[in-house]
Amino acid sequence: MSGRWQSIVWLLATLAVAVAAVIASAAFSGAAAEREALDPGAFVRWALPIALTVHHLVLGVVVGCLIFAATLVPHKDTDTAEKHSTPHPVFTRVRSVAVTASFVWLGSVVVVTVLTYANLVGQPVSGSSAFLSQLTYFLTDLIVGQAWGAITVIAFLVCNLAFFFRSTTGLACTALLALTAIVPISLIGHAAGSDDHYAGVGALAVHWLGVLVWVGGVAALAVTIPVLASTSTTLVTKSVIARFSALAGVAFFLVLSSGVINAALRLGEWDGLLSRYGQLILIKFSATLLLGAIGFAHRQWAMTQVRSRSGTLLAWRLVIAEVLIMGAVIGVTAALGRTAPPVPLELEPAITPAEVLTDYPMPPALTWYRWLSEWRWDWLWLAFILTAAAVYLLGVRKARMTGDKWPRKRTVSWFTGIVLLVYVTCGAPTIYGMVLISAHTVMLLAIAVLIPLLLAIGAPLDLLRLSVPRRTDGSRGPREWIEASNPTVSTVVRDPLLSGTVLILSFALFYYTPLLRLALDFWIAHQVTNLYFLIIGFWFMTTVICTQSKSRTRRRQILTIAGVGGILLLWANMLAFGVSPVLEVDWFSSLDRTWGPSIAVDQQNAGTSVLLIGVAPLAGVLATFLSYKSRPTSSDATDTNRSLPDVSR
């Protein structure tokens, strides 16, 4: 049987297992039972969980194959004479499967959308004008319909881009676009209906990210191994398996930890485990642990069996078994989505202006100790931060194993920034940033200036170059992606004047355009804003703190630091002396805050926030630069400069 037909057969087998699992789970939980009122009919009740199962499975295949094409498998065939123009057979295979699966994904989204509407209104599917007109209203005016409409648009774009793009850069962008479907899926998931709505959304988003990368990656591995066995060397096959094994380990951790959080949000007390929803949760949890153990054993065993074609094919068959089990778990997941959890989905109605606007009660009066005592966990940021911390530690370990010296002060600086990022995103700055503009400036200036400074001193890009070897098989890893730009683009990106200008313009556009209100109104806009300023701030700090630059570049660095610090100082004075217009007065005046300063006085306090969190760190960097000597005198500094490459190179 050819490789193409093998892929089709195992995909159909996985779909069959997943459908059987969802039917059994729905029958056990009563998710497809006839309703006393507004019953849409047996077809809708049974077809919806099946369509959701197909949707979840093919979305994972799309994401996994695109990630494999962009980062894990060789792009060009280096074994042929036409290596500069011939795509590698493995790359061609995973891209073809991604294209095919993306079209199936688009079709499944359309089916799920129609069935979801029919189930919601309690009507059978029909082609009547009334049904179609109400379906349009569902897509444009109701949150659930808007979410599935957004997923439909994303699926349409992904299937077209995957078809037209043949470069790793284009496919990487397409993979990121496919992953954005996580947001609308999480917003309408069960955990999103918990008392802490945004904590539930964040935990569910982390869960979906891990599931798609893990399940989709295993599916892509099943597609890849037979082609690798017939077209590539043993070293390439081992490299691909090892790369995915590392990625799967991270994904498994995200799936397991976020799954526990989601279950706790929906089960409530321990007796929730005795419900049918809880029993399905236990089945899913046990299957996840089993899959993690099987996957780890398979990958470790497969590394020793790829010396021969027969051993490689045996490893492939074990991966297929893993995919089949995953299909069954996805079927259980789809049934869970149609099963009523012990904690009701209906949230208590907002009764205060603060709850109406922010979805949370007004926090207590801000005193010095509340800067340390108020916490609200943001699981998206915690997952990102813990992953960054673990990867950095692994990099330090690898660097030391190869004999390279890595200064302890850099590790301390990195983890100081990591801890501060946890505090800012999950502590008082974010909580009070929704009701006080002074606290909001503390939050954003810390994310854009202070934390990036600490992270940049940690030199993660240097650590990446020390700990991650350059790939030689034509694939793109983290190091290749960072070094992929052409010399002209690299020179522009390293320019401190450009990064400083972008940072200042970003502050101006955010605080003096409707972008601030957008971030206050919408959770996803708030998250994107924080991520954007963290990236821009890190870019800026990376370009200005490099001490191995040419004298001309150092003058530009000093000028940029002084310029950005001076502009922030001017802004701090404008806020402190009331020269700046009052920011988002409609929002802050509508919160009905009964404690603390008035809106005008609070904005004046924001000037102090800018001075302490924005200007002071830059003043420290500038003072360090001005006192820096061209040749370091300490032996530690000499050893460090000799062993570490320049961040900007």
Side-chain angles (χ1 to χ4, degrees):
M1 185 183 295
S2 68
R4 184 181 300 275
W5 283 106
Q6 285 178 336
S7 299
I8 294 175
V9 168
W10 74 253
L11 181 57
L12 291 176
T14 305
L15 281 173
V17 171
V19 169
V22 72
I23 291 174
S25 301
F28 171 76
S29 65
E34 183 177 356
R35 300 201 297 245
E36 295 181 0
L38 297 177
D39 183 63
F43 173 76
V44 173
R45 294 196 310 269
W46 287 100
L48 180 54
I50 293 174
L52 283 169
T53 301
V54 175
H55 169 271
H56 299 345
L57 186 59
V58 295
L59 174 56
V61 174
V62 170
V63 170
C65 287
L66 288 175
I67 290 176
F68 259 65
T71 62
L72 300 183
V73 301
H75 179 211
K76 298 295 183 181
D77 191 353
T78 57
D79 295 331
T80 65
E82 301 177 355
K83 62 181 180 180
H84 297 293
S85 59
T86 304
H88 196 283
V90 177
F91 178 86
T92 303
R93 169 64 64 82
V94 292
R95 178 185 167 274
S96 300
V97 174
V99 172
T100 303
S102 65
F103 280 96
V104 178
W105 177 34
L106 178 59
S108 68
V109 172
V110 174
V111 173
V112 169
T113 302
V114 175
L115 293 175
T116 300
Y117 165 70
N119 182 73
L120 183 66
V121 299
Q123 296 180 6
V125 177
S126 70
S128 64
S129 58
F131 184 89
L132 294 177
S133 62
Q134 290 300 313
L135 178 61
T136 302
Y137 173 79
F138 169 72
L139 291 171
T140 56
D141 292 82
L142 297 183
I143 294 178
V144 176
Q146 291 170 348
W148 282 110
I151 298 170
T152 304
V153 173
I154 294 171
F156 175 79
L157 293 174
V158 167
C159 69
N160 281 277
L161 294 177
F163 179 78
F164 287 108
F165 281 142
R166 286 172 169 78
S167 65
T168 53
T169 302
L171 293 176
C173 294
T174 307
L176 292 176
L177 178 60
L179 285 172
T180 60
I182 291 173
V183 175
I185 292 175
S186 302
L187 288 171
I188 57 177
H190 267 183
S194 60
D195 291 335
D196 194 344
H197 172 72
Y198 292 124
V201 172
L204 194 56
V206 172
H207 189 71
W208 269 101
L209 175 62
V211 167
L212 294 181
V213 173
W214 186 23
V215 176
V218 173
L221 189 64
V223 171
T224 301
I225 289 182
V227 186
L228 284 171
S230 60
T231 62
S232 301
T233 63
T234 299
L235 181 60
V236 172
T237 305
K238 285 186 175 181
S239 297
V240 172
I241 295 175
R243 292 164 193 163
F244 173 68
S245 182
L247 185 63
V250 175
F252 172 75
F253 170 76
L254 295 179
V255 170
L256 193 64
S257 57
S258 60
V260 171
I261 295 168
N262 285 322
L265 291 172
R266 298 314 306 146
L267 290 174
E269 302 296 332
W270 285 102
D271 56 1
L273 290 172
L274 301 178
S275 66
R276 297 202 172 188
Y277 185 92
Q279 292 172 40
L280 287 178
I281 286 287
L282 289 175
I283 293 173
K284 182 181 176 183
F285 179 75
S286 302
T288 301
L289 287 177
L290 178 63
L291 275 171
I294 291 175
F296 177 78
H298 282 181
R299 242 77 75 203
Q300 294 298 313
W301 182 84
M303 294 288 291
T304 64
Q305 298 297 317
V306 296
R307 293 187 297 268
S308 64
R309 177 177 172 81
S310 60
T312 302
L313 291 179
L314 179 58
W316 175 74
R317 294 188 183 98
L318 292 175
V319 171
I320 293 299
E322 190 178 350
V323 174
L324 293 176
I325 298 175
M326 285 183 168
V329 175
I330 289 176
V332 175
T333 302
L336 272 173
R338 304 299 310 152
T339 305
V343 177
L345 290 178
E346 293 78 12
L347 297 177
E348 295 183 1
I351 58 176
T352 66
E355 288 178 286
V356 172
L357 290 174
T358 68
D359 287 320
Y360 292 101
M362 176 66 66
L366 182 58
T367 56
W368 68 267
Y369 63 87
R370 295 205 187 276
W371 281 104
L372 302 175
S373 64
E374 296 297 315
W375 292 86
R376 185 186 299 150
W377 299 113
D378 189 321
W379 300 110
L380 268 179
W381 278 103
L382 280 178
F384 171 77
I385 291 166
L386 290 176
T387 302
V391 170
Y392 192 92
L393 280 178
L394 288 175
V396 173
R397 179 173 175 269
K398 286 186 177 181
R400 289 177 176 173
M401 288 175 61
T402 57
D404 292 299
K405 293 183 178 179
W406 188 254
R408 189 180 301 273
K409 62 183 179 181
R410 291 194 170 186
T411 304
V412 171
S413 179
W414 174 267
F415 280 95
T416 302
I418 286 292
V419 172
L420 188 57
L421 186 58
V422 172
Y423 168 70
V424 170
T425 55
C426 302
T430 291
I431 295 173
Y432 286 95
M434 298 296 292
V435 298
L436 294 171
I437 190 63
S438 58
H440 195 282
T441 53
V442 169
M443 176 195 72
L444 204 64
L445 266 294
I447 289 176
V449 178
L450 182 57
I451 294 172
L453 173 60
L454 294 169
L455 297 180
I457 293 175
L461 300 183
D462 285 346
L463 183 60
L464 176 70
R465 295 186 179 96
L466 283 177
S467 59
V468 178
R470 185 175 281 106
R471 294 185 182 180
T472 58
D473 61 356
S475 62
R476 277 191 181 184
R479 181 168 182 169
E480 285 73 24
W481 276 107
I482 291 176
E483 299 173 350
S485 58
N486 60 57
T488 302
V489 174
S490 297
T491 302
V492 173
V493 170
R494 292 198 303 266
D495 189 350
L497 289 177
L498 175 63
S499 62
T501 302
V502 171
L503 180 63
I504 290 299
L505 288 178
S506 298
F507 277 126
L509 289 174
F510 178 75
Y511 277 108
Y512 294 98
T513 68
L515 291 176
L516 173 58
R517 181 57 184 264
L518 191 68
L520 292 170
D521 269 327
F522 298 101
W523 171 83
I524 186 62
H526 165 75
Q527 300 287 19
V528 171
T529 297
N530 286 352
L531 180 61
Y532 170 81
F533 275 98
L534 181 66
I535 294 173
I536 295 299
F538 180 77
W539 174 35
F540 167 70
M541 288 300 176
T542 301
T543 60
V544 300
I545 69 170
C546 176
T547 58
Q548 298 179 355
S549 305
K550 299 178 181 179
S551 58
R552 179 182 176 184
T553 303
R554 289 195 61 224
R555 288 195 295 269
R556 294 171 71 88
Q557 290 172 325
I558 294 173
L559 177 63
T560 301
I561 297 170
V564 172
I567 294 173
L568 290 180
L569 180 61
L570 176 62
W571 184 36
N573 282 279
M574 291 174 60
L575 293 171
F577 292 102
V579 178
S580 171
V582 180
L583 300 173
E584 289 303 331
V585 63
D586 291 341
W587 172 276
F588 293 107
S589 63
S590 301
L591 292 169
D592 196 24
R593 176 169 53 86
T594 58
W595 50 262
S598 65
I599 297 175
V601 173
D602 181 55
Q603 180 154 307
Q604 292 175 352
N605 294 338
T608 304
S609 302
V610 175
L611 187 65
L612 293 177
I613 310 298
V615 178
L618 291 176
V621 174
L622 182 60
T624 302
F625 252 95
L626 294 177
S627 62
Y628 175 79
K629 295 182 179 181
S630 59
R631 296 188 64 180
T633 56
S634 68
S635 59
D636 177 69
T638 304
D639 291 340
T640 299
N641 287 337
R642 184 165 52 242
S643 63
L644 294 178
D646 188 354
V647 174
S648 62
R649 288 181 183 174

